[in-house]
Amino acid sequence: MKKILPLLCCFFFAASSTAYAAYDTPASHAIIIDADTGVALYEKNPDQLMHPSSMSKLMTVYMVFDRLKKGTLSLTDKFTVSEKAWRTQGSKMFVHVGDQVSVDDLLKGIIIQSGNDACIVIAEGFAGSEAVFAESLNTKAKELGLTHSTFKNATGLPEEGHMMTVRDLTILARHLINDFPEYYHYFSQKDFTYNGIHQENRNMLLDRNLGVDGLKTGHTDQAGYGITVSGKQKDRRLILSINGLSGTKERASEAERLLQYGFLNFDNVTIFKKDAIIDDAKVWMGTNKTVPVTIDNNVVFTVPKNNADKIKASVSYDSPLSAPIKKGDHIADLTVTVPGFGDKVYPLTAAKDVDKLSFAGRWLANMKYHLLGS
């Protein structure tokens, strides 16, 4: 059985704003997602493999945050700087061979200064070698759903086979934001001084009035300039990942333009709240003739502002449902449809128990059904 729900009475829609009739970006790869719903607002080659440069350092940071949260690592723990770490070229936090560097400083060195040397120190401290650490990055990436990512090192320096997609970068950024709110503040720190050398965060959007509070820039000759960035305005957070731009100014201006596009042209709509009764489903041979059907989580959908009134939802289930039914049983599905965004299906559950009729009760119900047709 499929039932169309009268959604228009459930909520109000924001007034439509002016959307771009056609939108493009000079970035070779781009995606914007809503952090709450995961819905992609804009895509350009989102699943095409690319060199992620220093944006892949986010995976190294995830490993550090993960150990901190689990309690197997502390911010005051120190790791020794090897000659390999010291000699690593590119961006540096300028550690010295033999230094004992705290996890706190190494995190700042990776996030703020994009230190390749700091990444090597972490990799060797965690796994003994960067190659073994890279294997652990790949294992964790699969757990997080990064289906198109392969890590060959901890830094993002060019190496054959070290590839990601912008979609995977936004998935990783979403995990960093949601899994480690207690450590996310590292990404918003604007500068850091180590060994007497002061360096500023390369995320230029932190200084603009956009609500941006992280995450990571990247650049190599092969990849061009890129950034994976997140910003929050009011109660909405967006995550953007772009790559293949020509310079730091274009990277910052294009990231700003795309974020503004996402914030101006899309809304999050709460269709149903957690524990709301969505429907009453018929029950066969139960102590009750119906069972209330509910949703276990808020149903929030990201929609274009000028298409919000076109959202549709339907409930489907096998009717009538057979007793017994236990509270929490998955008994139906809610399908939400937004033009241009496809369908999203949510499980619906029974809001209460419905016991099976006794033998006598089932006999009477069966007789009534055959005699009266109901």
Side-chain angles (χ1 to χ4, degrees):
M1 176 181 176
K2 186 175 182 180
K3 185 174 182 180
I4 306 298
L5 300 178
L7 278 183
L8 293 182
C9 65
C10 297
F11 45 79
F12 297 98
F13 298 110
S16 174
S17 68
T18 302
Y20 296 93
Y23 195 87
D24 197 12
T25 174
S28 58
H29 304 78
I31 187 172
I32 314 167
I33 69 167
D34 185 278
D36 290 330
T37 65
V39 172
L41 314 182
Y42 177 82
E43 296 179 340
K44 181 179 180 180
N45 300 323
D47 299 310
Q48 187 179 85
L49 290 174
M50 62 177 195
H51 298 284
S53 309
S54 288
M55 291 185 287
S56 70
K57 286 182 171 79
L58 291 174
M59 195 71 233
T60 296
V61 172
Y62 188 96
M63 300 298 279
V64 179
F65 285 176
D66 192 41
R67 287 202 183 188
L68 288 170
K69 188 158 190 171
K70 290 176 179 175
T72 58
L73 183 73
S74 73
L75 290 170
T76 56
D77 286 342
K78 295 184 177 182
F79 292 103
T80 303
V81 178
S82 68
E83 184 171 346
K84 177 186 176 180
W86 172 69
R87 288 186 179 278
T88 300
Q89 296 303 303
S91 303
K92 290 174 172 283
M93 70 174 287
F94 297 101
V95 293
H96 297 155
V97 176
D99 280 356
Q100 293 280 306
V101 187
S102 71
V103 171
D104 180 59
D105 281 340
L106 289 168
L107 276 172
K108 293 172 184 174
I110 295 171
I111 292 170
I112 301 167
Q113 298 172 321
S114 200
N116 295 323
D117 48 2
C119 288
I120 302 298
V121 174
I122 286 291
E124 293 177 340
F126 276 28
S129 73
E130 187 178 13
V132 175
F133 182 72
E135 291 177 8
S136 69
L137 294 182
N138 288 315
T139 299
K140 180 59 70 173
K142 289 179 181 177
E143 293 176 10
L144 298 178
L146 311 187
T147 57
H148 295 86
S149 295
T150 302
F151 298 91
K152 297 293 185 178
N153 59 55
T155 62
L157 285 169
E159 187 169 344
E160 185 177 355
H162 187 98
M163 306 289 278
M164 295 185 75
T165 65
V166 287
R167 191 187 304 279
D168 276 5
L169 279 164
T170 58
I171 292 170
L172 176 55
R174 194 180 181 200
H175 275 290
L176 283 163
I177 294 165
N178 293 335
D179 297 352
F180 311 111
E182 65 270 48
Y183 301 117
Y184 182 66
H185 65 86
Y186 276 97
F187 290 104
S188 63
Q189 187 169 329
K190 295 182 179 180
D191 55 23
F192 177 53
T193 300
Y194 186 80
N195 271 339
I197 300 171
H198 178 263
Q199 296 187 66
E200 295 184 353
N201 197 315
R202 300 175 189 192
N203 183 356
M204 297 168 64
L205 275 68
L206 292 171
D207 293 322
R208 304 186 183 185
N209 190 27
L210 293 170
V212 168
D213 52 13
L215 298 155
K216 189 74 190 71
T217 61
H219 167 252
T220 60
D221 290 342
Q222 288 175 299
Y225 289 82
I227 189 170
T228 299
V229 68
S230 181
K232 188 172 184 179
Q233 293 185 11
K234 296 181 180 178
D235 59 348
R236 289 190 64 216
R237 176 179 289 280
L238 300 183
I239 302 171
L240 160 75
S241 186
I242 52 176
N243 206 14
L245 293 159
S246 62
T248 57
K249 289 184 178 179
E250 185 180 48
R251 174 174 66 190
S253 63
E254 192 58 20
E256 179 177 0
R257 191 167 72 103
L258 281 163
L259 282 173
Q260 288 178 328
Y261 166 77
F263 281 120
L264 286 172
N265 291 284
F266 298 86
D267 269 334
N268 281 353
V269 177
T270 300
I271 301 172
F272 293 106
K273 292 186 177 181
K274 179 182 177 181
D275 298 327
I277 301 302
I278 309 299
D279 198 10
D280 287 300
K282 292 182 178 180
V283 178
W284 173 247
M285 295 295 180
T287 52
N288 294 95
K289 291 184 178 181
T290 62
V291 61
V293 181
T294 189
I295 187 91
D296 293 337
N297 296 289
N298 290 335
V299 177
V300 182
F301 220 86
T302 305
V303 296
K305 288 185 178 180
N306 59 344
N307 278 354
D309 58 347
K310 298 177 183 178
I311 193 168
K312 296 179 181 179
S314 62
V315 172
S316 58
Y317 54 89
D318 293 329
S319 181
L321 301 168
S322 296
I325 298 169
K326 295 294 183 183
K327 182 179 180 180
D329 283 352
H330 177 192
I331 58 173
D333 289 304
L334 172 71
T335 301
V336 179
T337 303
V338 178
F341 286 77
D343 296 343
K344 190 168 183 180
V345 180
Y346 301 84
L348 299 177
T349 59
K352 68 178 185 179
D353 296 339
V354 178
D355 293 329
K356 192 172 185 178
L357 286 170
S358 65
F359 176 80
R362 295 197 301 275
W363 184 84
L364 288 172
N366 194 46
M367 290 296 294
K368 182 179 179 182
Y369 174 80
H370 286 290
L371 292 172
L372 301 178
S374 61

